[in-house]
Amino acid sequence: MARDDYEIVMGLEVHAELSTKTKIFCSCPTEFGADPNTHVCPVCMAMPGALPVLNEKVVEYAVKAGLATNCEIAMDSKNDRKNYFYPDLPKSYQISQFDKPLCERGYVEIEDEEGNKKKIRLTRIHIEEDAGKLNHNEFGGGSLVDLNRAGVPLIEIVSEPDLRSAKEAEEYLKKLKSILEYIEVSDCKMQEGSLRADVNVSVRKKGATEYGTRTEMKNMNSFRSIVRAIEYEADRQIDVLEDGGKIEQETLRWDDVSGRTFPMRDKEDAQDYRYFPDPDLVAIRLSKEYIENIKNNLPELPESRKQRYLNEFGLSEKDSNMLTASKYLSNLFEGAEKICKNAKAVANWLLSDVSKILNEKELEVPVDDLIKLAEEMEADQIPFTAEQLAKMIVLIDKGTISSAIGKKVLVELFENPKDPEEIIKEKGWIQISDEGAIKEVVLKILEANPQSVADFKAGKDKAIGFLVGQAMKETKGKANPQMLNKMFLEELKK
Ligand code: ADP
Ligand code: MG
Ligand code: ZN
């Protein structure tokens, strides 16, 4: 049998760190990147007798995420202890939610490979605490534990096994990322581990009604590795089955360098964790008004922004998709549009030249296509403001600079962002629109290119394009192209 006779089935467990100021059960800061063990206290270091108190913001953020993903919100829920030993978990249990999660039965809509809308069902979203981090000494000198991350709030978003290809899994994760960014509950920085996914993969013969045995790849935090890992793992499982073997349910580690998965441990079941309600915490009870209030204050979601871009600004489906894929990009677009009132120009600059420069700089992760880049874009990658971009577009629209000069201004904006007007003054890039000056250039170019002049007179209209090009070169892109065109025509027809 061939690979094509099989279907891949996937469900994702996505962990997102919430961007609350303080941890979930204590008031230590959640900020990333501090010196090891400086954001800790008796509660998150698991000192005996220290008592946790639930951070209300965590509940609010999780409810927000649930509402934005069409979940039912539980009025009654609770925190449970999930018992296991690991050196980065000093309590030897994680406070999580077992049988009464905050949110259940939601869905996220994606486009499948044929471009049809497809709902990926969410089983649940629950709140829990993150563990600490082990820093392994690469020279074999042991491992050190950093508890700054212990107690940072997480939501875990569990999907049903509704995904059918690596591409769908990628789409789903991107959609989820953009929703969480829009509602501002997580910064979703995959590089910093703020968003990571456990990917469950199984295969089955097409047409089969039962699912196959799954394996789980833990803590994946880049789109590219997820796609590669799924493809590798599905192939591996098919090979095992084709050889008459059986898939073991196990937890795997994906190794990006060798492009392979390795067994980590046998899969444990819920019963291995001995879940029980945490006796140190009170049950969570929400009122209808509380939930309604959060619902009424949800910010605009990407889908609705996209519709506005299509209707209000007349942008294409593709451009609207790219711009709204990242909240950051979308905000930049809207900010600049408000000032210069030229939506199409802003979209074009952002999606072509700005993206190209970002791509060349290989900011964040190196990406091979611009759509991916737009989707993965995060704050702090673009150094200039919406206002600066808008002002540059206004300068072009007014004819103060040509769009060729606009490109140079953009490069400057990346290097040393400031008011574009100042940039062009300093650099002497103001467009030449003075008739006398233009005429001088035109005459000079005509004299230097008798062949083109003859071509034009012989009916080859294209020759004028060449002449304008030469004049632009001569003026280092500063001459007003419309005026050049007009004046060349006048002179040639004399
Ligand atoms: P855990 O991994 O914590 O034991 P679950 O049993 O709830 O949790 O399943 C976790 C994930 O595995 C879910 O996202 C679910 O959709 C997915 N999943 C379950 N069965 C399969 C399967 N046969 N193939 C692929 N994914 C599956
Ligand atoms: Mg799992
Ligand atoms: Zn603490």
Side-chain angles (χ1 to χ4, degrees):
M1 274 203 153
R3 202 185 178 288
D4 277 355
D5 297 323
Y6 286 86
E7 172 180 61
I8 314 179
V9 173
M10 281 150 301
L12 261 54
E13 296 159 274
V14 175
H15 285 96
E17 272 183 4
L18 298 179
S19 44
T20 54
K21 289 205 178 65
T22 55
K23 292 186 180 179
I24 182 168
F25 300 118
C26 61
S27 47
C28 292
T30 54
E31 214 182 304
F32 180 83
D35 283 342
N37 298 309
T38 54
H39 291 172
V40 291
C41 74
V43 173
C44 54
M45 283 191 298
M47 295 297 164
L51 285 175
V53 177
L54 178 58
N55 178 348
E56 226 183 295
K57 275 276 170 216
V58 171
V59 177
E60 182 188 321
Y61 282 19
V63 170
K64 252 178 147 178
L67 291 170
T69 51
N70 312 292
C71 288
E72 293 164 26
I73 309 300
M75 315 281 281
D76 286 294
S77 79
K78 65 178 168 74
N79 293 108
D80 299 284
R81 288 188 182 178
K82 180 180 184 181
N83 299 283
Y84 67 95
F85 173 78
Y86 204 73
D88 64 11
L89 186 75
K91 292 202 296 288
S92 279
Y93 62 83
Q94 177 193 28
I95 305 180
S96 179
Q97 294 192 288
F98 182 46
D99 53 337
K100 284 186 169 183
L102 261 183
C103 319
E104 284 183 283
R105 288 176 291 275
Y107 66 85
V108 166
E109 203 163 62
I110 62 162
E111 273 176 25
D112 68 13
E113 302 211 40
E114 278 87 51
N116 302 313
K117 297 230 181 297
K118 175 172 176 182
K119 281 182 180 160
I120 307 304
R121 291 169 300 154
L122 302 188
T123 319
R124 57 190 278 157
I125 301 179
H126 65 254
I127 54 173
E128 60 186 24
E129 57 181 342
D130 210 344
K133 197 170 175 352
L134 284 180
N135 295 315
H136 305 290
N137 183 323
E138 59 184 306
F139 306 108
S143 298
L144 295 167
V145 66
D146 174 8
L147 293 177
N148 284 347
R149 205 179 62 183
V152 167
L154 296 174
I155 48 175
E156 177 171 340
I157 304 163
V158 183
S159 86
E160 293 287 316
D162 286 346
L163 298 159
R164 292 293 176 271
S165 66
K167 183 95 189 67
E168 271 186 32
E170 189 185 7
E171 285 292 306
Y172 165 74
L173 196 58
K174 280 185 176 159
K175 197 64 185 279
L176 207 54
K177 177 174 185 275
S178 96
I179 292 173
L180 296 177
E181 281 172 0
Y182 272 79
I183 59 173
E184 293 177 342
V185 301
S186 172
D187 65 19
C188 292
K189 289 191 177 171
M190 298 181 83
Q191 295 314 83
E192 296 181 3
S194 296
L195 189 78
R196 42 194 207 258
D198 299 346
V199 183
N200 297 271
V201 179
S202 67
V203 299
R204 64 176 174 183
K205 294 248 171 74
K206 280 187 182 152
T209 49
E210 304 271 308
Y211 290 136
T213 304
R214 71 181 150 116
T215 57
E216 176 172 4
M217 293 175 283
K218 286 275 189 199
N219 283 327
M220 313 271 320
N221 69 348
S222 103
F223 290 109
R224 246 169 324 282
S225 336
I226 289 173
V227 169
R228 282 177 70 205
I230 290 172
E231 281 164 358
Y232 172 86
E233 178 57 15
D235 280 346
R236 186 192 68 83
Q237 291 185 14
I238 292 169
D239 285 345
V240 170
L241 294 175
E242 285 293 289
D243 287 346
K246 219 174 111 228
I247 306 299
E248 296 297 332
Q249 184 173 338
E250 60 188 348
T251 302
L252 304 173
R253 183 177 63 81
W254 165 256
D255 181 60
D256 224 15
V257 178
S258 63
R260 294 182 48 196
T261 52
F262 295 94
M264 254 168 79
R265 57 171 189 252
D266 288 349
K267 174 71 197 160
E268 55 287 278
D269 283 320
Q271 67 209 27
D272 300 327
Y273 290 122
R274 300 279 166 151
Y275 280 100
F276 66 87
D278 192 305
D280 289 340
L281 288 157
V282 293
I284 304 167
R285 174 159 294 171
L286 307 179
S287 69
K288 277 213 172 79
E289 296 79 65
Y290 175 85
I291 299 169
E292 273 308 301
N293 189 33
I294 295 178
K295 191 181 216 160
N296 295 335
N297 289 303
L298 271 186
E300 188 182 23
L301 293 174
E303 190 55 38
S304 135
R305 271 204 196 188
K306 187 186 135 185
Q307 288 308 323
R308 266 201 304 115
Y309 291 8
L310 293 170
N311 303 334
E312 242 174 73
F313 300 132
L315 297 184
S316 70
E317 176 102 17
K318 185 169 163 240
D319 287 0
S320 308
N321 266 336
M322 287 199 272
L323 288 170
T324 54
S326 138
K327 175 175 189 184
Y328 171 63
L329 192 61
S330 173
N331 283 351
L332 198 59
F333 166 77
E334 294 196 6
E337 191 280 333
K338 273 207 187 78
I339 298 167
C340 72
K341 301 283 174 216
N342 188 345
K344 291 213 167 121
V346 180
N348 283 341
W349 281 99
L350 284 176
L351 296 175
S352 60
D353 294 274
V354 172
S355 301
K356 230 172 268 163
I357 293 176
L358 283 176
N359 219 7
E360 280 158 13
K361 288 185 183 291
E362 292 192 27
L363 289 171
E364 175 69 350
V365 273
V367 277
D368 35 23
D369 82 68
L370 296 177
I371 300 183
K372 280 205 174 130
L373 183 82
E375 283 170 341
E376 289 179 23
M377 185 133 50
E378 286 168 1
D380 58 31
Q381 290 183 337
I382 294 184
F384 52 84
T385 63
E387 190 185 359
Q388 289 165 339
L389 177 66
K391 279 196 169 168
M392 181 198 81
I393 292 171
V394 170
L395 288 173
I396 297 171
D397 288 348
K398 281 199 310 204
T400 313
I401 57 172
S402 63
S403 42
I405 294 294
K407 285 181 206 254
K408 292 193 186 177
V409 172
L410 192 67
V411 173
E412 279 302 307
L413 283 177
F414 266 99
E415 296 309 321
N416 182 15
K418 57 180 163 186
D419 189 339
E421 199 127 14
E422 247 177 74
I423 295 179
I424 61 169
K425 272 198 197 121
E426 250 169 44
K427 301 270 177 187
W429 285 345
I430 296 175
Q431 181 155 278
I432 305 169
S433 298
D434 172 73
E435 288 223 11
I438 296 271
K439 184 152 189 180
E440 210 173 289
V441 179
V442 165
L443 293 178
K444 184 172 171 196
I445 297 296
L446 286 174
E447 199 179 304
N449 296 280
Q451 185 58 48
S452 301
V453 175
D455 286 351
F456 182 85
K457 297 214 158 137
K460 286 189 192 154
D461 289 351
K462 272 192 196 145
I464 198 157
F466 174 76
L467 292 168
V468 170
Q470 291 303 103
M472 282 304 243
K473 213 182 243 171
E474 174 74 21
T475 58
K476 300 199 175 65
K478 288 194 292 187
N480 179 322
Q482 285 83 24
M483 288 180 71
L484 275 181
N485 224 13
K486 192 163 154 255
M487 207 164 288
F488 268 119
L489 272 177
E490 278 171 17
E491 288 301 318
L492 286 163
K493 285 188 177 150
K494 264 184 188 165

